[in-house]
Amino acid sequence: MRIIFVGDIFGKPGRAVVRELLPDLVRSRAIDLVIANGENAAGGFGITPALVEELLETGIEVITTGNHVWDKRELIEYFNMAQGNPYSPARRVLRPANYPAGTPGWGLYEGQTQDGVPYAVINLQGRVFMGSNEDPFRVADDLLKQVQAKVILVDFHAEATSEKIALGWHLDGRVTALLGTHTHVPTADERVLPNGTAYQTDVGMTGPYDSVIGVTKETILQKFLTNMPVRFEPATGDVRFCAAVIDCDPATGRASSIERLMINESVMQPEAQRR
Ligand SMILES: [Fe+2]
Ligand SMILES: [Fe+2]
């Protein structure tokens, strides 16, 4: 079974490159399941219900998020309206599971692939250099007690590499893959851990790299140079598609390989390394 996880889709350029590349990749690489982080889909800040549906139409089954989840307030109502309706598309959007109890939305999705393989997706957020939330390690332990599926993907949306690596070891052998998001910079440390969990500290952003993590470099430079408030504008140049492709055994959920993908819009050739 082959799964693709697409890193933080940033603004219109990110959405456009997903629309352009994802359906062909799914066909040519015989991908069974597509998951993507969409926390920056709306101009870099949050995601709207309309954009959720636009992304689901490209073949994405589950959209994870992170600290930007509430930037577009419509999402709160979208989650609230999906209460009691397991078939609402809003159920395919996750917010980190370790947010305070009672927060709108869900941090766990359980579904089946078209071939009938049960899978689960868990979204968690780190606590180092980020807002204080529940302990992602303990929340992961608790969620794993209730998940029946063998194929389990975790998006760990976190700032610190150490926290991400630590959770990778904590979950090794208990989930199919732990993929990091949030920094918008892909890391070259993809590997399958000894007990069968595919791991990458950060999958990287799907969006404009002629930028500072998606935002125009002029505005961010101004911010650092003057410390004055600036208006963040999404950048547009050097758009890249960043993802991880994981092969696993659907019967056990164990990963056999992870491949890092970075496809440059102008080249359209994957610079890939296989482990
Ligand atoms: Fe992000
Ligand atoms: Fe983030």
PDB file of all heavy atoms in Angstrom, residues 1 27 33 42 46 76 191:
ATOM      1  N   MET A   1       0.847  -1.193   0.000  1.00  0.00           N
ATOM      2  CA  MET A   1       0.000   0.000   0.000  1.00  0.00           C
ATOM      3  C   MET A   1       0.882   1.242   0.000  1.00  0.00           C
ATOM      4  O   MET A   1       1.896   1.277   0.684  1.00  0.00           O
ATOM      5  CB  MET A   1      -0.872  -0.019   1.262  1.00  0.00           C
ATOM      6  CG  MET A   1      -1.670   1.242   1.475  1.00  0.00           C
ATOM      7  SD  MET A   1      -2.786   1.050   2.887  1.00  0.00           S
ATOM      8  CE  MET A   1      -3.546   2.660   2.874  1.00  0.00           C
ATOM      9  N   ARG A  27      -1.898   8.697 -10.068  1.00  0.00           N
ATOM     10  CA  ARG A  27      -2.025   7.680 -11.138  1.00  0.00           C
ATOM     11  C   ARG A  27      -0.689   7.006 -11.421  1.00  0.00           C
ATOM     12  O   ARG A  27      -0.571   5.789 -11.376  1.00  0.00           O
ATOM     13  CB  ARG A  27      -2.525   8.346 -12.424  1.00  0.00           C
ATOM     14  CG  ARG A  27      -4.012   8.144 -12.681  1.00  0.00           C
ATOM     15  CD  ARG A  27      -4.379   8.582 -14.091  1.00  0.00           C
ATOM     16  NE  ARG A  27      -3.984   9.957 -14.382  1.00  0.00           N
ATOM     17  CZ  ARG A  27      -4.723  11.022 -14.062  1.00  0.00           C
ATOM     18  NH1 ARG A  27      -5.885  10.867 -13.473  1.00  0.00           N
ATOM     19  NH2 ARG A  27      -4.290  12.241 -14.342  1.00  0.00           N
ATOM     20  N   LEU A  33      -3.643   6.367  -1.002  1.00  0.00           N
ATOM     21  CA  LEU A  33      -4.195   7.266   0.009  1.00  0.00           C
ATOM     22  C   LEU A  33      -3.414   8.584   0.003  1.00  0.00           C
ATOM     23  O   LEU A  33      -2.182   8.575   0.019  1.00  0.00           O
ATOM     24  CB  LEU A  33      -4.088   6.603   1.389  1.00  0.00           C
ATOM     25  CG  LEU A  33      -4.524   7.414   2.604  1.00  0.00           C
ATOM     26  CD1 LEU A  33      -5.992   7.817   2.504  1.00  0.00           C
ATOM     27  CD2 LEU A  33      -4.292   6.602   3.884  1.00  0.00           C
ATOM     28  N   ALA A  42      -5.409  29.196   2.741  1.00  0.00           N
ATOM     29  CA  ALA A  42      -6.087  30.465   2.446  1.00  0.00           C
ATOM     30  C   ALA A  42      -5.095  31.622   2.569  1.00  0.00           C
ATOM     31  O   ALA A  42      -4.932  32.193   3.655  1.00  0.00           O
ATOM     32  CB  ALA A  42      -7.267  30.659   3.398  1.00  0.00           C
ATOM     33  N   GLY A  46      -4.723  29.870   7.496  1.00  0.00           N
ATOM     34  CA  GLY A  46      -5.925  29.085   7.724  1.00  0.00           C
ATOM     35  C   GLY A  46      -6.490  28.476   6.452  1.00  0.00           C
ATOM     36  O   GLY A  46      -5.827  28.432   5.392  1.00  0.00           O
ATOM     37  N   ILE A  76     -14.753  27.335  12.353  1.00  0.00           N
ATOM     38  CA  ILE A  76     -15.362  26.962  13.643  1.00  0.00           C
ATOM     39  C   ILE A  76     -16.805  26.521  13.400  1.00  0.00           C
ATOM     40  O   ILE A  76     -17.233  25.450  13.837  1.00  0.00           O
ATOM     41  CB  ILE A  76     -15.301  28.155  14.621  1.00  0.00           C
ATOM     42  CG1 ILE A  76     -13.838  28.562  14.854  1.00  0.00           C
ATOM     43  CG2 ILE A  76     -16.006  27.814  15.927  1.00  0.00           C
ATOM     44  CD1 ILE A  76     -13.664  29.866  15.611  1.00  0.00           C
ATOM     45  N   ARG A 191      13.535   8.311   7.064  1.00  0.00           N
ATOM     46  CA  ARG A 191      14.021   6.945   7.284  1.00  0.00           C
ATOM     47  C   ARG A 191      12.880   6.117   7.874  1.00  0.00           C
ATOM     48  O   ARG A 191      11.904   6.663   8.395  1.00  0.00           O
ATOM     49  CB  ARG A 191      15.203   6.923   8.252  1.00  0.00           C
ATOM     50  CG  ARG A 191      14.889   7.514   9.610  1.00  0.00           C
ATOM     51  CD  ARG A 191      16.060   7.358  10.565  1.00  0.00           C
ATOM     52  NE  ARG A 191      15.972   8.311  11.664  1.00  0.00           N
ATOM     53  CZ  ARG A 191      16.707   8.231  12.772  1.00  0.00           C
ATOM     54  NH1 ARG A 191      17.580   7.263  12.918  1.00  0.00           N
ATOM     55  NH2 ARG A 191      16.576   9.124  13.727  1.00  0.00           N
TER      56      ARG A 191
END
